Amino acid sequence: MRWGMVIDLAKCTRCHACVAACRIEHFLPLRVTWPRLIALETDNGYDVDVSTYPVRCNQCKDAPCVDACPTQASYKREDGIVAIDHDKCFGCRYCVIACPYQNRTYLSRKRNPNYFPEHAQTRFEKMGKKLYPHQVGTTEKCNFCHERIDAGREKDLKPGIDRDATPACVNTCQPRALTFGDLDDPNSNVSKLIREKSGFVLHSEYGTEPSVYYIDYKLGGNPSNKAPVEAQTGSHIQHLSTVYAPSKPKLAKKNAD
Amino acid sequence: MANREVVYSTCKSCHGGCGVKVTKEDGVVVHIEGNPDSLTGGTMCSKGLSSIQHIDNPYRLKYPMKQVGKKGEGKWERISWDEALDTIADKMKAAIKDYGPHTIAISQGTGRGYNRYTMRLARSLGTGNAITPGYVCHSPRLGLYALVTGYGRLYCDYHGWGGEFPKTQIMWAKQLEISSADSEMCYWYMRSLDYVKNLIIIDPRASAYATRANLWIQPRPGTDCALALGMMNVIYEEELWDKEFVDNWTFGFEELRERVKDFTPEKVSDICWIPKEHVIEAARMWAIDTPGTIQVGSSLERQANCGHTLRAITCLMGLAGNIERPGSMVSWVLPDTGLIEDFNLELPITDEMKSKIIGGDRFKMGATRTCNPDTMVKRLLAGDAPIKVWFSVGGQQIVHMANTKEVVAAIERVEFMSHTDLFMGPMAEAADIVLPAAHWLELDDVYDMHPRFMIEAHNKVIEPPGEAMSDAWIFNEIGKRVVPDKWWDTVEDMLDYQIRRGEGPDGGPLKWKDFSEKLVSGCWGPDQVYYKYKTDFWREGGGFPTPSGKFEFKSNHLESLGYDPLPVYAEPGESPVSTPDLFKEYPLVMSSGYRQPFYFLGQYRNIPWLRSFMEFPTCQLHPETAKLYGVEDGDIVWIEGPRGRIRQKLRTFPGIKRGVLMATANCFYPEEPAKGYHGVFISNPNVLTSNDHLDPMYGSPDLTCLLCKVYKAKDEELKEEVFRNEEYGFVPPHSQEDM
Ligand code: SF4
Ligand code: SF4
Ligand code: SF4
Ligand code: SF4
């Protein structure tokens, strides 16, 4: 099992919701951001390309940050996630330099003022100190929301399928540009997307074997506009509808009045 | 063991509607995410999520206050709710007695859920002078849709309930992918993209999907009507119209043909500065690959030809038969609870009220139920004081109206004004009394969705700070004091009233308590009805609810009001074509149409997480255009027009049309002092816009099409606080912490 993410560059809108969701999920200090959005805007004279590359820790299979860590604070879990034991980390920052993707942040005091720097902490921040204590003087990065994955799997939920076992950023993304699943399972949604849409990793030349893949394509050109049955019936929401059988003209009329 | 509690609600950080799941631990909100069991599938944007920094924000208004200095000086003193409400009510009563109810203005912003209350308060007081931003956002399209189809609420069918998704989709001056601002949830739009054959983006600057769409057209700002006429010209020339629909259900087809005859692709190419092939291609995709939808952006409504632009676009829908067909433009069947506006519509606007609407004699489409704000400004400046008491809620007229200098000068002349809001801002500083409002997480209310196929519940999750109260409560308290027979004892009674037509669990009228648990009253899936004009839905024997019973390409009603019954193109008030001399001095076409996904109009620059995404209001120029004018990426630049100049940060962007400058709209700085209205003159593009040239139907000014020049600001010209703040952990100076 190796958890992975596929990011759809055609769909991403640079909306920043993933960033906000991650900040909430992990009570991130004011000046720390685990996922980032990198803009790529080019004009080669005949073709303009406006793209956004959402990046986060790639949970590399061959992770230089783990190799560089002198205390084994950075380690690789069995499910492929690169995690950090903050009690072991002593802040040498070798990993920050070792990560070729610049996905690690050293949490200095400067990065950790109150949300409203000259005011008291908000209740959310105070609660965060209890529920998700960040340790100033250690290094942080995206952890693929392994808290959610672990808690979900204990309840037999499937990461990437069941919300409560899926990363927060994936859940919130409005265009569904983020897909999560098991890269080792050839039938998982991520494996299929990578296969069918020629998924690629960023800077494969670094040789770290990232678990975050990207797909890109042109929008439009879909062969059929027929709505599948689930969409027609609105099956996932139909139970919320309050108007029944308006095909009976009377009721429809009543609503028009 | 910590006490965990989950509350479901509805987000209103934009026009709203995303289902929300909030988790509290020991009474503190510790988590916000989308509600998976909702129409938005558990997704949310950064604005809604960042509500966590809204609720405990130290800069929130917590108590009613009165201005003890001069307007705009920022000298405030805490008062009691009774004193505040009684003062406002007394001023209203006095105005009614001494001058008549029409001298009271009720104003609102784009709406954090109070539209119904604003309109009901105005009508119950007997004034037609409601001030809303509707005339530059959404109202023109509703009015024009209504004119053509008889029913105003025509929305894009992104749902597939009728068996088909749109095959061709046009995003016209709109970024639905980053905002649910018209309550057509971006979530639905983006799901429908999996079925689209042609995605057409019409926008001078590349929105997120522009460079991956099938066709991206970059018209010169302000020329969209010509493009629509040109597309129709192609449809006529190539005989691509929907014969069945046109033959049986439309009126004025031949007259429209005559009208669009001149708008050949060549001519349109000249007007819009686009290749003529784009006009032809778009027309073919639109008319051949049906069904299709056109999502209109409010940039088109911020132009002084907006009436005809929207009319032309609506005609385009009709020519392709893209009305009421699954996957096209549909007016949705209402839920059990009925039309939510009935709450205000049930109090009619009398002829007397109508006759006193400011601007009503001139803008016969726009100023029939609300006043024309620009005319009001001119009259205030002329000294004839048409408004004695102004009850303002939420909106930032100082920010969003054209010609900021005049707007400020006019508002300072209003004898008495109150403003209700969550934070201090330009309008609050201009008021005599401010009232603290609750955030959507702190109140119970009914959420009304624009497409009107559902309403949802805002459920109170936590208590508001200090003495802040919900808008509904505030409106009801004012109403009760001045016109008690039109208002309720409690907010809950008022909420019960609004949803009474729904069915409660006991078979009786739906009550707030039950609705609040149920969260939604809606109609979708197989319960929706398409092709209503082919049934008795609108008319016995079929047809549209228009005077002719048909879809009206030509409108006799418009003619009777003194307007052209067919769409006409007109240049913006200031443009390379209409004012060539001015263009020599101001050689860039400017638009204030640049919007970011993490701000909603004037809001959220005081939410640290959101401010971190873009600290300074930013404008965009093509790298080549920037080079031409000697400015560079990252510069703070002056943008100057005939009425003044502003500073924004420049980003060069290859996705913008050459020769066009796109500035961020609606910017003031909460951290700047009260004097100067929180920096409203520093970066707000409306310092540059004109309120002299208005749309004849709606009175809308040219906010998204004017002229400017650009040059680098010198270091010594960057003195204000905002330019000194390198970090986004900014510190707004105004706080009630010590009160
Ligand atoms: S939430 Fe989704 S669309 Fe928005 S920036 Fe992140 S990946 Fe892109
Ligand atoms: S992306 Fe960087 S931090 Fe993440 S696993 Fe790879 S090397 Fe380590
Ligand atoms: S996977 Fe989790 S930790 Fe990583 S960016 Fe997304 S929300 Fe943040
Ligand atoms: S799109 Fe609007 S309703 Fe949805 S989460 Fe964002 S602000 Fe809230």
Side-chain angles (χ1 to χ4, degrees):
Chain A
M1 180 183 314
R2 185 176 151 220
W3 299 121
M5 193 182 285
V6 177
I7 299 181
D8 187 335
L9 298 176
K11 286 273 176 75
C12 173
T13 62
R14 204 183 290 180
C15 77
H16 291 70
C18 45
V19 180
C22 185
R23 286 173 173 176
I24 289 178
E25 193 65 34
H26 304 101
F27 297 86
L28 289 190
L30 182 61
R31 289 170 191 147
V32 174
T33 293
W34 290 357
R36 291 172 293 145
L37 301 169
I38 298 178
L40 186 87
E41 296 157 351
T42 58
D43 183 356
N44 59 14
Y46 51 92
D47 221 2
V48 178
D49 177 14
V50 172
S51 299
T52 307
Y53 286 75
V55 299
R56 61 201 21 63
C57 170
N58 288 303
Q59 322 295 342
C60 304
K61 203 169 182 179
D62 191 357
C65 57
V66 172
D67 297 343
C69 178
T71 62
Q72 276 94 53
S74 281
Y75 65 100
K76 188 138 193 93
R77 301 184 356 152
E78 272 186 358
D79 57 5
I81 295 178
V82 173
I84 302 171
D85 181 339
H86 289 276
D87 290 333
K88 283 193 186 154
C89 175
F90 71 120
C92 69
R93 284 168 268 184
Y94 288 1
C95 58
V96 177
I97 295 160
C99 170
Y101 294 94
Q102 297 160 17
N103 275 328
R104 289 182 166 238
T105 310
Y106 174 70
L107 179 58
S108 62
R109 211 163 296 283
K110 218 179 120 215
R111 287 186 185 276
N112 191 29
N114 293 349
Y115 283 172
F116 300 92
E118 285 171 20
H119 294 273
Q121 282 174 3
T122 61
R123 283 172 290 179
F124 175 77
E125 287 176 277
K126 279 189 208 137
M127 202 54 112
K129 303 266 169 218
K130 233 169 50 195
L131 300 176
Y132 207 103
H134 289 263
Q135 297 183 26
V136 172
T138 66
T139 289
E140 302 197 336
K141 68 169 189 66
C142 155
N143 63 6
F144 259 19
C145 287
H146 62 57
E147 315 86 2
R148 291 181 73 91
I149 293 178
D150 296 346
R153 292 192 69 207
E154 252 168 46
K155 288 187 242 162
D156 259 348
L157 300 175
K158 269 187 91 129
I161 311 269
D162 296 309
R163 248 180 110 81
D164 289 340
T166 302
C169 56
V170 176
N171 287 341
T172 210
C173 175
Q174 290 175 312
R176 298 278 192 228
L178 308 175
T179 308
F180 195 78
D182 183 5
L183 293 171
D184 282 345
D185 173 1
N187 295 318
S188 69
N189 43 9
V190 281
S191 299
K192 270 196 227 147
L193 272 180
I194 293 168
R195 216 165 39 236
E196 286 162 15
K197 302 227 165 183
S198 327
F200 58 93
V201 298
L202 298 183
H203 290 294
S204 55
E205 73 276 11
Y206 294 157
T208 66
E209 291 191 58
S211 304
V212 175
Y213 282 75
Y214 294 81
I215 54 174
D216 198 1
Y217 52 94
K218 287 275 179 200
L219 295 166
N222 289 298
S224 166
N225 70 326
K226 286 270 161 306
V229 180
E230 311 86 75
Q232 291 188 40
T233 56
S235 54
H236 63 298
I237 46 164
Q238 190 54 29
H239 63 285
L240 297 169
S241 181
T242 59
V243 175
Y244 298 105
S247 37
K248 284 181 198 138
K250 233 192 201 154
L251 184 57
K253 189 102 193 0
K254 180 190 111 187
N255 278 292
D257 292 340
Chain B
M1 184 64 197
N3 168 24
R4 285 214 150 211
E5 189 193 344
V6 172
V7 187
Y8 292 93
S9 187
T10 307
C11 179
K12 189 78 193 178
S13 285
C14 68
H15 265 295
C18 291
V20 182
K21 179 183 171 191
V22 188
T23 309
K24 291 200 290 184
E25 185 153 324
D26 293 336
V28 176
V29 175
V30 292
H31 199 261
I32 297 186
E33 64 177 306
N35 173 7
D37 191 22
S38 73
L39 268 79
T40 38
T43 64
M44 277 181 85
C45 83
S46 60
K47 301 182 286 293
L49 292 171
S50 298
S51 292
I52 263 182
Q53 293 188 326
H54 228 116
I55 47 181
D56 251 5
N57 194 307
Y59 305 109
R60 285 281 297 275
L61 288 168
K62 299 186 187 77
Y63 308 100
M65 295 192 294
K66 69 175 175 199
Q67 179 96 253
V68 289
K70 281 211 292 280
K71 284 186 191 214
E73 259 186 3
K75 293 198 179 127
W76 295 95
E77 196 176 284
R78 181 177 165 181
I79 54 175
S80 70
W81 267 108
D82 275 339
E83 181 182 346
L85 295 169
D86 290 342
T87 309
I88 297 169
D90 289 347
K91 294 275 178 191
M92 285 180 173
K93 285 184 208 154
I96 293 173
K97 191 165 144 271
D98 299 342
Y99 308 101
H102 62 279
T103 59
I104 302 174
I106 310 292
S107 80
Q108 62 163 88
T110 190
R112 54 172 178 256
Y114 43 50
N115 299 22
R116 309 181 300 284
Y117 303 119
T118 332
M119 297 312 274
R120 187 177 174 97
L121 181 62
R123 288 174 183 209
S124 64
L125 293 171
T127 174
N129 285 318
I131 301 169
T132 84
Y135 75 129
V136 288
C137 179
H138 215 77
S139 281
R141 103 187 59 157
L142 297 186
L144 269 312
Y145 291 164
L147 196 79
V148 179
T149 69
Y151 183 79
R153 295 201 174 261
L154 211 50
Y155 290 92
C156 300
D157 178 12
Y158 297 132
H159 305 280
W161 298 328
E164 284 184 85
F165 284 104
K167 211 183 252 181
T168 300
Q169 290 202 26
I170 301 185
M171 272 293 129
W172 204 317
K174 173 80 182 172
Q175 311 183 78
L176 188 58
E177 65 278 2
I178 60 157
S179 76
S180 296
D182 300 312
S183 284
E184 297 242 50
M185 300 297 176
C186 55
Y187 176 72
W188 306 332
Y189 158 57
M190 289 181 292
R191 277 199 325 174
S192 74
L193 287 179
D194 289 342
Y195 302 88
V196 75
K197 183 172 174 200
N198 311 305
L199 175 63
I200 307 175
I201 309 284
I202 303 178
D203 202 320
R205 70 175 284 276
S207 48
Y209 293 158
T211 64
R212 284 177 180 76
N214 302 76
L215 179 61
W216 170 32
I217 306 179
Q218 294 181 279
R220 168 165 64 92
T223 63
D224 304 82
C225 182
L227 176 56
L229 296 173
M231 286 170 66
M232 289 197 272
N233 173 292
V234 175
I235 292 173
Y236 275 106
E237 283 299 315
E238 302 189 359
E239 302 190 10
L240 300 177
W241 65 85
D242 180 328
K243 316 256 164 355
E244 194 275 334
F245 182 74
V246 164
D247 289 350
N248 297 308
W249 306 104
T250 66
F251 173 77
F253 177 73
E254 287 308 323
E255 288 96 326
L256 181 64
R257 180 204 295 271
E258 202 49 44
R259 177 54 57 88
V260 302
K261 219 178 201 154
D262 292 343
F263 282 80
T264 59
E266 292 74 17
K267 176 170 167 168
V268 171
S269 156
D270 280 351
I271 296 175
C272 302
W273 299 358
I274 54 175
K276 70 169 199 252
E277 290 74 23
H278 281 185
V279 187
I280 299 168
E281 252 182 277
R284 286 182 186 157
M285 286 178 181
W286 173 247
I288 295 171
D289 287 325
T290 58
T293 52
I294 302 180
Q295 181 67 243
V296 168
S298 53
S299 273
L300 299 182
E301 287 154 332
R302 299 187 172 110
Q303 300 177 350
N305 191 29
C306 77
H308 281 297
T309 302
L310 287 155
R311 219 174 122 46
I313 290 174
T314 317
C315 290
L316 202 48
M317 295 169 183
L319 275 187
N322 275 327
I323 297 284
E324 285 290 319
R325 223 184 118 168
S328 76
M329 307 300 297
V330 180
S331 56
W332 300 114
V333 176
L334 302 167
D336 263 0
T337 37
L339 185 66
I340 195 78
E341 277 94 358
D342 285 347
F343 181 70
N344 54 270
L345 294 176
E346 67 182 23
L347 303 180
I349 284 208
T350 60
D351 287 344
E352 161 71 10
M353 280 156 78
K354 260 198 181 150
S355 70
K356 302 262 168 62
I357 292 182
I358 298 169
D361 50 342
R362 207 172 138 203
F363 307 108
K364 295 193 179 117
M365 290 290 292
T368 52
R369 294 192 282 189
T370 57
C371 92
N372 177 253
D374 300 270
T375 307
M376 180 202 64
V377 161
K378 294 288 184 193
R379 284 187 53 188
L380 281 164
L381 290 176
D384 71 351
I387 297 299
K388 309 286 181 197
V389 174
W390 183 334
F391 183 76
S392 159
V393 183
Q396 294 292 353
Q397 273 71 22
I398 289 179
V399 183
H400 82 69
M401 284 181 63
N403 198 337
T404 314
K405 216 190 279 170
E406 286 196 7
V407 178
V408 167
I411 288 181
E412 283 179 347
R413 288 184 177 212
V414 175
E415 273 168 39
F416 178 83
M417 182 165 109
S418 71
H419 183 75
T420 302
D421 223 326
L422 282 82
F423 296 98
M424 268 296 165
M427 283 298 276
E429 299 291 1
D432 300 280
I433 286 183
V434 291
L435 305 177
H439 183 260
W440 58 264
L441 282 165
E442 303 159 351
L443 53 78
D444 286 331
D445 208 342
V446 179
Y447 160 76
D448 56 336
M449 143 161 284
H450 272 138
R452 295 293 182 262
F453 64 72
M454 69 164 165
I455 58 170
E456 293 170 281
H458 296 295
N459 284 325
K460 185 177 196 170
V461 178
I462 46 156
E463 289 300 325
E467 293 179 355
M469 296 299 281
S470 73
D471 295 308
W473 183 87
I474 295 170
F475 276 103
N476 194 44
E477 287 303 310
I478 293 288
K480 263 178 6 192
R481 280 169 169 75
V482 190
V483 267
D485 57 319
K486 302 284 195 303
W487 295 84
W488 286 263
D489 282 346
T490 66
V491 169
E492 189 168 336
D493 291 346
M494 182 161 74
L495 295 178
D496 283 346
Y497 183 78
Q498 295 183 57
I499 54 172
R500 69 196 180 282
R501 283 171 294 192
E503 195 181 315
D506 57 356
L510 182 60
K511 294 270 188 206
W512 166 256
K513 283 233 162 69
D514 294 312
F515 178 59
S516 130
E517 257 169 59
K518 195 171 154 42
L519 282 171
V520 175
S521 172
C523 175
W524 46 73
D527 298 337
Q528 272 297 343
V529 183
Y530 292 84
Y531 291 117
K532 294 176 206 62
Y533 60 86
K534 291 187 182 176
T535 70
D536 292 340
F537 193 92
W538 282 319
R539 255 174 196 265
E540 212 68 48
F544 286 91
T546 54
S548 63
K550 301 271 170 99
F551 178 100
E552 299 196 341
F553 290 124
K554 175 174 186 243
S555 167
N556 291 337
H557 175 66
L558 214 49
E559 194 162 33
S560 72
L561 293 177
Y563 299 110
D564 197 313
L566 292 157
V568 264
Y569 173 65
E571 275 286 323
E574 289 169 4
S575 85
V577 179
S578 57
T579 54
D581 286 340
L582 210 60
F583 183 55
K584 279 188 204 128
E585 196 184 340
Y586 303 103
L588 290 167
V589 176
M590 181 192 155
S591 166
S592 61
Y594 181 23
R595 300 299 150 90
Q596 296 86 30
F598 30 83
Y599 292 132
F600 187 50
L601 306 163
Q603 297 184 80
Y604 307 149
R605 281 191 175 77
N606 43 15
I607 306 298
W609 277 347
L610 298 176
R611 184 73 178 265
S612 78
F613 298 140
M614 182 185 277
E615 295 140 62
F616 299 103
T618 297
C619 63
Q620 294 178 320
L621 277 180
H622 193 279
E624 281 170 23
T625 312
K627 211 171 184 181
L628 201 61
Y629 296 102
V631 284
E632 283 175 22
D633 185 76
D635 284 353
I636 301 285
V637 294
W638 285 106
I639 307 168
E640 184 176 327
R643 281 158 296 276
R645 58 178 194 167
I646 56 167
R647 283 152 292 171
Q648 293 202 353
K649 186 172 200 153
L650 175 70
R651 282 279 168 227
T652 55
F653 180 53
I656 189 167
K657 193 174 184 63
R658 287 168 178 77
V660 172
L661 181 142
M662 195 74 91
T664 296
N666 302 313
C667 22
F668 67 96
Y669 301 92
E671 69 268 36
E672 286 289 327
K675 259 212 173 87
Y677 293 96
H678 295 283
V680 76
F681 291 99
I682 299 175
S683 302
N684 193 27
N686 280 328
V687 169
L688 311 182
T689 52
S690 157
N691 51 3
D692 288 322
H693 181 73
L694 306 176
D695 179 72
M697 292 185 214
Y698 278 89
S700 326
D702 280 327
L703 304 184
T704 52
C705 46
L706 52 152
L707 297 175
C708 75
K709 64 179 169 190
V710 66
Y711 50 95
K712 190 171 162 33
K714 300 191 190 87
D715 284 346
E716 62 269 24
E717 290 172 329
L718 307 176
K719 288 217 167 53
E720 294 88 341
E721 190 60 37
V722 56
F723 295 110
R724 285 201 288 268
N725 255 332
E726 281 303 315
E727 295 263 20
Y728 53 75
F730 73 103
V731 187
H734 194 281
S735 155
Q736 289 178 278
E737 202 71 337
D738 319 318
M739 296 192 70

